[in-house]
Amino acid sequence: MKAQLSLLSIALVASLNSVPAHAKDALQFKDVFNFKAAKTTQLSEDGKVLSFSATPYRGNATGQVYTLNNNKLLAEVERGTKPQINKVANWVAFTQVPTLLAKETTKKKSTLKNNLVLVSTATGEQQTFDNVKDYQLSDDGKWLAYRLDQKADKDDDSKDIDDAKNTDKTSEIKPDKKDKVFDLIVVNLTDATTHTINSVFSYAINASGSELIVSQSYPDGSDNQVALISLNNTFETSVLIDEPGVVANKIAWHPTKNIAAFTLGNYVNDDMRRRDHQLKLWQNEQLTDITSPKKNWTIGKTAKLSWSEDGERLYFENHPKLAAKVKDKKYTDQASLFDYDTIRAQKGLNVWHNNDAEIKPREEQQWNETNKNKHYQAVYHLNGKRVTQLSDVDMPNVALNTNSRNALLGSSNLPYLERIMYGGFFADYYAVDVNTGEQKAIIKDYPFRPSLSPSGEFAAYFNNSQVQLKDLGNNKVSTLTKAIKAVFADDKHDYPSAQPGYGFAGWLEDSSQVLVYSKYDVWAFDVNTLKATQLTQGKESNTQYRIIKLDKEQVGFAKNDTLLVNATDLQNKQTEIAKLNLTDNSITKVLTGNKRFDVIKKAKNADKYLFTEQTYHQFPDIHQTNFSFKKPQRVTHLNPQVDNFAWGQKPELINYKGFDGEDLQGVLIKPAGYKKGDKVPVVVYFYRYMSQRMFDFPKMELNHRPNFPMFTSNGYAVFLPDIRFEIGHPGKSSTQTMINATQKLIDLGIADPDKIGLQGHSWAGYQSAFMITQTDMFKAVVSGAPVSNMTSAYSGIRLKSGLARQFQYETGQSRIGKNLFEAPELYIENSPVFFADKVNTPILIMFGDKDDAVPWHEGVQYYLALRRAGKDATFLQYEGEPHHLKKFPNQVDFSIRMMQYFDHYLKGKPAAKWMTEGESFIEE
């Protein structure tokens, strides 16, 4: 404890570059708690209101509402989270969560309830509604409906009625255990009057705010109904469906018309997976059924419903009817106790067979996550009153974009389930006609995702080191890029697998051109003439242009569009914002400077954009502008306390050579108060490419990585180098690259060669664990979740996905490129456990013992090998933690121990007691 307290009390006197010299504080761990981030940022459709939850790393969030006509903070909502702005933007709704103290001290979490806070965007006044389970605001802002998160009180009379009603228990139709009903409170927000509807399971308000559909469910099921309620002073109720056990699981109103769709089931079938649901359409005061186009197909409880934005198509999900459930054999009498079949039915067993397409953990994971309630995509065309099946059991996946009128991209990985275990991910891809359901093959056995034209007539993909265009009408494939002197293959790809391209920007909305990325530029290819047009001129200035797509549902670009693009200088890492005019291909930079700029949102129906700008010293606060970008305005000031701390020097780019002589870069951040000629302790943090973080504000949190300002404000330099790998020899190649990078700091006279530490997690955890078997350059290493023995890890399992780890070595990140039987010598060569006796560097190994990516016994193996070899090794086992620490106490604890470790070995401070004596296992 003394070591921790001394660590937390460190203070340095420093001054930032270009800042008047005055005393600034060194960052302490408790200071990190107070840094806020804008979570769930919302911009109103008219561009006049901004809201988000200002959430500190540790503490209670504050909901914030800004009016963008004057950039004023209109309201703050205590513990306000998950803001929602209704369509006409007269209300902002916040979910008000319990205090952090209540969350940490309340044993029965179910007793903690959320509130709802409404903020008037006209006045800033707040209304609070207690114990809210969920809610909906009408688009016009006149009505609020919310379910009250508490059990309804019953008086004696109602209890007598219920007792009489439930005398015959056999007639009960009980709801599913997880289906909870609550009273629905409907509030007229113009006059504050309320109306209560009891026992509501699901509900939805229509687009005009005139009607409400509710599904009411009761314990015995006898009075269940689906009802339509008029939103007026009288709340007239029309019963749409009235039968015992009935329930509407999903309700979806048309985006503009008074038409509703809902899925209707009945609890009379208590088998949730085999319960048939009907899809009902309420239109013109009538209910009609929408039936699946396939025979013996039905709709399940978890099926999703969604309308296209134009309201012309209703997308829903269905699946084949399941076979009857096999009845379990149970012990029922004396004879059953000795019956083989009944006895064996009680077994716990998984049979792993060599002919299984997937190994059992993957099969189980896929069953629970996907296949147990597997649905397929269908669409109902409102105008033609017809249903089209879009996916099926043979082609199960469709990338749904409800705004696409013509075609969707479909895929199936079913033929490759076995190969995925060792060869990576592959699928067959199709163009699926939204109107007919016809599937046209694009490419089979393909590791990347093709790009489909809006019309569905063409597809583009990267194959044989070139961009290919396929005419799906005649199946003709044309190579688009062969004659062009530009790099379209990702030259940073250093994996033993197919080289990908740089990707696709999209299509013109008439499908006449596909926009393709090269290393630097955006190119347009005409699908008829195959003519290429270079839209940007990035190669000459070493600038990489990429189109910014703020609307994820956008189908295509207009021929005369002016698009926003990121312009990144690949040498100095500066990211600017520019405009690309598709009419004349002119580029105009609109946000520029020694910063990183990101455009984050556009108002749906207004010329309003939000963007952030950041550096290592400047938090990415939100700014607003219009499309001219001529008068940008700062809106938020979330973390002014940055200026109070000795944050560190301005980051610099350091150039060095990779293992093969390639030019690489790293980001160096010198400590606050650094003076030329000082040789300082350095903590190196890395993974793969890191130099793109040159202008990033550091993440203000404590987790598996160093908090950079915590180190740079306390006397350390932090170095973030790029690393490259040689296939078959990832360990030695990354080690040589790291030696070159670190030696450059020594040669520059910045790094004290006796005070250099190394920290990495996961893949970088492996690299750091391996590097100290090859070099004594580093004086202390903190290695998180490292693979230490590739021969054992090769046949391990990634518990989160259930996949065998073999693909990681043969084609993936671990970069061996061959299986264990072809090249056992490579697996041994790259495994630090076999060279533990060569280690002379103190190492701190950290693992969560529920790691779902790397088997945590990989850490145990390395620790035991080092221990046997008499080396200085300490192992931190965090109980119940996955691959990255999730529990706040563990995040803080590891961060403190990491600092203590480096403080001792790099600064010579006294070792904390746990470092010299360990900690005894004591269980009271």
Side-chain angles (χ1 to χ4, degrees):
M1 178 59 76
K2 289 182 179 179
Q4 292 180 14
L5 290 175
S6 64
L7 178 66
L8 292 172
S9 63
I10 294 174
L12 295 174
V13 177
S15 60
L16 296 173
N17 287 353
S18 72
V19 177
H22 63 279
K24 288 179 177 282
D25 295 329
L27 197 70
Q28 299 181 14
F29 286 103
K30 65 179 181 181
D31 298 318
V32 177
F33 298 171
N34 300 322
F35 276 83
K36 300 180 181 70
K39 299 288 184 69
T40 325
T41 302
Q42 302 290 311
L43 176 62
S44 63
E45 292 188 6
D46 63 7
K48 295 179 180 179
V49 179
L50 165 68
S51 68
F52 56 83
S53 177
T55 305
Y57 177 61
R58 177 68 165 175
N60 294 313
T62 302
Q64 295 191 350
V65 180
Y66 292 81
T67 52
L68 296 184
N69 62 332
N70 57 12
N71 297 323
K72 297 296 185 182
L73 179 61
L74 176 69
E76 290 190 295
V77 176
E78 186 179 2
R79 306 190 311 282
T81 67
K82 300 177 182 177
Q84 294 293 330
I85 307 174
N86 70 313
K87 201 172 188 66
V88 300
N90 54 357
W91 298 105
V92 181
F94 288 92
T95 299
Q96 187 181 59
V97 297
T99 65
L100 177 61
L101 180 61
K103 292 177 183 177
E104 295 286 13
T105 58
T106 302
K107 292 184 178 180
K108 192 174 181 181
K109 304 300 183 185
S110 62
T111 62
L112 297 174
K113 308 295 184 183
N114 294 331
N115 300 328
L116 172 67
V117 178
L118 288 187
V119 177
S120 167
T121 60
T123 65
E125 294 180 356
Q126 301 182 22
Q127 300 180 48
T128 301
F129 303 87
D130 295 336
N131 301 331
V132 173
K133 181 68 177 176
D134 44 46
Y135 68 92
Q136 184 186 350
L137 272 167
S138 64
D139 288 348
D140 61 10
K142 294 180 180 179
W143 297 95
L144 165 69
Y146 70 91
R147 292 198 300 168
L148 190 62
D149 191 4
Q150 63 184 37
K151 293 182 178 180
D153 294 328
K154 291 187 177 182
D155 55 33
D156 292 338
D157 291 341
S158 63
K159 184 177 185 301
D160 292 339
I161 294 172
D162 288 343
D163 288 344
K165 183 185 293 185
N166 295 328
T167 300
D168 182 7
K169 295 293 184 181
T170 60
S171 65
E172 289 184 352
I173 306 174
K174 294 183 178 181
D176 300 332
K177 286 184 178 180
K178 293 185 179 180
D179 288 359
K180 304 299 181 183
V181 298
F182 303 91
D183 287 348
L184 183 73
I185 313 298
V186 182
V187 184
N188 185 331
L189 293 173
T190 59
D191 61 15
T193 58
T194 64
H195 179 74
T196 301
I197 305 165
N198 62 358
S199 299
V200 172
F201 173 68
S202 58
Y203 61 100
I205 301 173
N206 66 357
S208 65
S210 61
E211 292 183 325
L212 166 74
I213 287 180
V214 298
S215 177
Q216 294 172 277
S217 179
Y218 297 88
D220 66 353
S222 61
D223 294 328
N224 286 17
Q225 65 179 20
V226 178
L228 179 73
I229 299 172
S230 296
L231 292 178
N232 53 37
N233 292 334
T234 57
F235 293 96
E236 294 97 342
T237 300
S238 303
V239 177
L240 305 182
I241 306 286
D242 181 10
E243 62 182 60
V246 75
V247 61
N249 282 97
K250 303 288 191 305
I251 306 171
W253 282 97
H254 189 281
T256 58
K257 299 178 181 178
N258 205 31
I259 302 171
F262 56 90
T263 55
L264 191 74
N266 197 302
Y267 291 129
V268 71
N269 181 354
D270 61 3
D271 187 338
M272 287 184 288
R273 293 186 61 237
R274 290 169 178 79
R275 182 184 304 143
D276 289 338
H277 282 72
Q278 300 168 305
L279 178 56
K280 298 283 188 179
L281 196 69
W282 172 252
Q283 183 179 13
N284 299 327
E285 306 298 317
Q286 290 185 336
L287 273 177
T288 56
D289 288 334
I290 299 175
T291 58
S292 295
K294 286 181 172 285
K295 188 178 180 181
N296 293 322
W297 279 49
T298 187
I299 296 172
K301 178 175 181 176
T302 60
K304 298 176 183 176
L305 283 181
S306 58
W307 288 93
S308 61
E309 189 173 350
D310 58 17
E312 294 179 3
R313 296 170 302 283
L314 172 66
Y315 291 88
F316 67 98
E317 294 179 323
N318 57 4
H319 65 76
K321 290 186 176 181
L322 302 178
K325 187 175 182 180
V326 178
K327 189 175 182 180
D328 293 336
K329 289 180 176 291
K330 296 181 179 180
Y331 298 126
T332 58
D333 53 25
Q334 186 70 13
S336 68
L337 295 173
F338 302 92
D339 177 72
Y340 282 159
D341 290 339
T342 305
I343 293 171
R344 296 182 69 190
Q346 318 308 313
K347 67 183 179 298
L349 173 69
N350 276 323
V351 178
W352 298 43
H353 195 279
N354 193 49
N355 290 334
D356 291 339
E358 299 176 303
I359 61 173
K360 274 298 175 286
R362 175 66 172 177
E363 189 179 354
E364 181 179 352
Q365 186 270 347
Q366 288 290 284
W367 173 258
N368 290 324
E369 295 292 325
T370 304
N371 295 330
K372 182 177 181 178
N373 296 302
K374 179 70 177 177
H375 278 84
Y376 303 91
Q377 194 65 60
V379 60
Y380 173 74
H381 297 272
L382 189 65
N383 294 333
K385 296 183 179 180
R386 69 185 190 281
V387 176
T388 302
Q389 191 69 39
L390 301 176
S391 64
D392 53 39
V393 293
D394 297 318
M395 201 284 296
N397 304 311
V398 167
L400 182 61
N401 181 340
T402 60
N403 291 334
S404 182
R405 296 170 176 267
N406 300 304
L408 298 171
L409 184 66
S411 64
S412 173
N413 66 354
L414 297 178
Y416 314 108
L417 295 181
E418 180 182 0
R419 182 146 61 102
I420 286 171
M421 295 292 152
Y422 58 86
F425 297 89
F426 302 86
D428 299 335
Y429 288 92
Y430 302 85
V432 182
D433 192 301
V434 173
N435 297 291
T436 66
E438 180 185 5
Q439 301 172 6
K440 293 183 179 179
I442 297 173
I443 187 170
K444 293 184 179 294
D445 197 6
Y446 187 61
F448 312 117
R449 177 170 168 161
S451 182
L452 181 64
S453 70
S455 67
E457 298 174 289
F458 301 91
Y461 53 89
F462 191 83
N463 201 25
N464 298 323
S465 300
Q466 302 292 337
V467 178
Q468 313 288 343
L469 177 73
K470 184 171 185 178
D471 185 328
L472 299 179
N474 57 24
N475 288 325
K476 180 182 178 181
V477 177
S478 303
T479 301
L480 297 179
T481 53
K482 189 173 183 179
I484 298 175
K485 293 182 179 180
V487 179
F488 289 91
D490 184 356
D491 62 356
K492 287 186 175 181
H493 184 78
D494 55 359
Y495 298 86
S497 59
Q499 189 177 26
Y502 276 100
F504 300 94
W507 295 75
L508 294 191
E509 58 190 7
D510 64 359
S511 299
S512 62
Q513 295 182 5
V514 57
L515 275 54
V516 181
Y517 292 135
S518 68
K519 179 176 181 178
Y520 299 100
D521 292 303
V522 184
W523 295 73
F525 292 89
D526 188 285
V527 299
N528 295 310
T529 66
L530 307 186
K531 179 183 176 182
T533 302
Q534 187 175 349
L535 303 184
T536 61
Q537 305 297 321
K539 183 178 180 180
E540 292 76 5
S541 60
N542 202 26
T543 300
Q544 185 179 75
Y545 288 98
R546 295 295 184 258
I547 291 173
I548 300 170
K549 293 183 70 173
L550 297 175
D551 181 2
K552 302 303 182 185
E553 299 299 309
Q554 183 176 2
V555 176
F557 308 115
K559 288 184 177 181
N560 60 350
D561 265 352
T562 298
L563 307 177
L564 292 177
V565 294
N566 280 318
T568 303
D569 188 312
L570 297 184
Q571 181 61 34
N572 66 24
K573 312 304 178 184
Q574 182 179 342
T575 296
E576 301 171 319
I577 304 299
K579 292 194 286 190
L580 168 62
N581 188 325
L582 294 182
T583 303
D584 58 10
N585 301 332
S586 61
I587 286 281
T588 306
K589 289 188 177 181
V590 293
L591 292 175
T592 183
N594 292 320
K595 299 179 180 182
R596 170 182 162 179
F597 296 91
D598 294 280
V599 182
I600 58 174
K601 281 189 181 295
K602 180 198 178 297
K604 184 174 182 178
N605 300 320
D607 182 18
K608 182 74 68 179
Y609 292 81
L610 301 180
F611 70 91
T612 61
E613 57 181 62
Q614 62 182 299
T615 67
Y616 183 72
H617 297 88
Q618 179 183 345
F619 177 80
D621 275 297
I622 297 173
H623 296 65
Q624 66 148 314
T625 185
N626 58 22
F627 194 64
S628 74
F629 282 80
K630 289 182 178 179
K631 295 181 179 179
Q633 303 167 31
R634 181 173 176 177
V635 181
T636 67
H637 298 74
L638 281 184
N639 292 297
Q641 72 271 32
V642 171
D643 295 336
N644 299 333
F645 299 104
W647 206 249
Q649 299 280 298
K650 181 180 178 181
E652 307 169 38
L653 283 171
I654 303 297
N655 299 304
Y656 56 93
K657 299 291 186 180
F659 73 93
D660 57 356
E662 179 184 3
D663 290 328
L664 295 175
Q665 295 177 304
V667 177
L668 173 66
I669 312 165
K670 296 173 184 173
Y674 178 84
K675 296 181 180 63
K676 188 174 181 179
D678 288 352
K679 292 183 178 182
V680 296
V682 178
V683 170
V684 182
Y685 173 74
F686 70 110
Y687 191 84
R688 189 185 176 219
Y689 285 97
M690 303 293 286
S691 59
Q692 70 275 10
R693 301 189 183 195
M694 173 68 179
F695 292 97
D696 287 6
F697 185 81
K699 288 186 177 295
M700 293 309 294
E701 54 190 25
L702 305 174
N703 50 25
H704 58 277
R705 64 173 72 89
N707 179 287
F708 301 158
M710 183 67 65
F711 283 84
T712 59
S713 73
N714 282 285
Y716 290 91
V718 170
F719 186 45
L720 315 173
D722 291 341
I723 298 292
R724 284 279 280 181
F725 306 91
E726 180 183 5
I727 294 171
H729 308 281
K732 289 184 177 179
S733 56
S734 64
T735 298
Q736 187 58 58
T737 301
M738 181 63 78
I739 290 173
N740 295 351
T742 309
Q743 186 62 47
K744 188 63 178 286
L745 298 186
I746 297 173
D747 295 344
L748 290 171
I750 298 168
D752 185 325
D754 294 322
K755 298 179 180 179
I756 302 175
L758 192 61
Q759 201 278 337
H761 187 85
S762 192
W763 176 235
Y766 155 73
Q767 294 176 70
S768 59
F770 181 86
M771 288 173 182
I772 59 174
T773 70
Q774 309 294 305
T775 178
D776 295 338
M777 173 176 276
F778 305 102
K779 304 310 172 185
V781 168
V782 178
S783 174
V787 164
S788 64
N789 184 350
M790 288 193 176
T791 68
S792 60
Y794 172 79
S795 291
I797 294 171
R798 294 182 66 95
L799 295 178
K800 185 174 183 178
S801 65
L803 289 170
R805 293 177 49 83
Q806 293 161 340
F807 76 92
Q808 293 184 226
Y809 299 88
E810 296 186 37
T811 60
Q813 185 181 62
S814 298
R815 295 174 172 85
I816 299 299
K818 296 181 179 181
N819 68 42
L820 179 61
F821 325 113
E822 293 174 310
E825 71 282 359
L826 293 182
Y827 283 80
I828 293 172
E829 172 197 311
N830 289 282
S831 298
V833 72
F834 290 103
F835 309 102
D837 62 321
K838 309 298 184 189
V839 173
N840 297 312
T841 304
I843 182 171
L844 178 65
I845 304 168
M846 185 275 283
F847 252 106
D849 61 15
K850 297 297 182 184
D851 195 309
D852 46 13
V854 179
W856 79 280
H857 280 89
E858 287 292 313
V860 175
Q861 284 191 56
Y862 199 31
Y863 164 75
L864 291 177
L866 291 165
R867 177 186 173 107
R868 180 65 183 86
K871 305 301 180 179
D872 186 346
T874 306
F875 185 76
L876 303 179
Q877 172 197 345
Y878 284 98
E879 297 176 334
E881 287 282 20
H883 191 55
H884 299 110
L885 297 176
K886 298 297 183 184
K887 300 174 183 176
F888 181 77
N890 293 338
Q891 293 173 334
V892 175
D893 180 81
F894 177 61
S895 296
I896 290 175
R897 291 179 193 271
M898 187 193 321
M899 180 71 91
Q900 290 174 334
Y901 201 76
F902 285 133
D903 275 354
H904 173 65
Y905 286 107
L906 305 187
K907 285 187 173 182
K909 291 192 174 186
K913 186 177 180 180
W914 64 270
M915 294 171 59
T916 57
E917 300 180 19
E919 293 181 0
S920 299
F921 176 81
I922 299 174
E923 188 172 55
E924 295 290 350

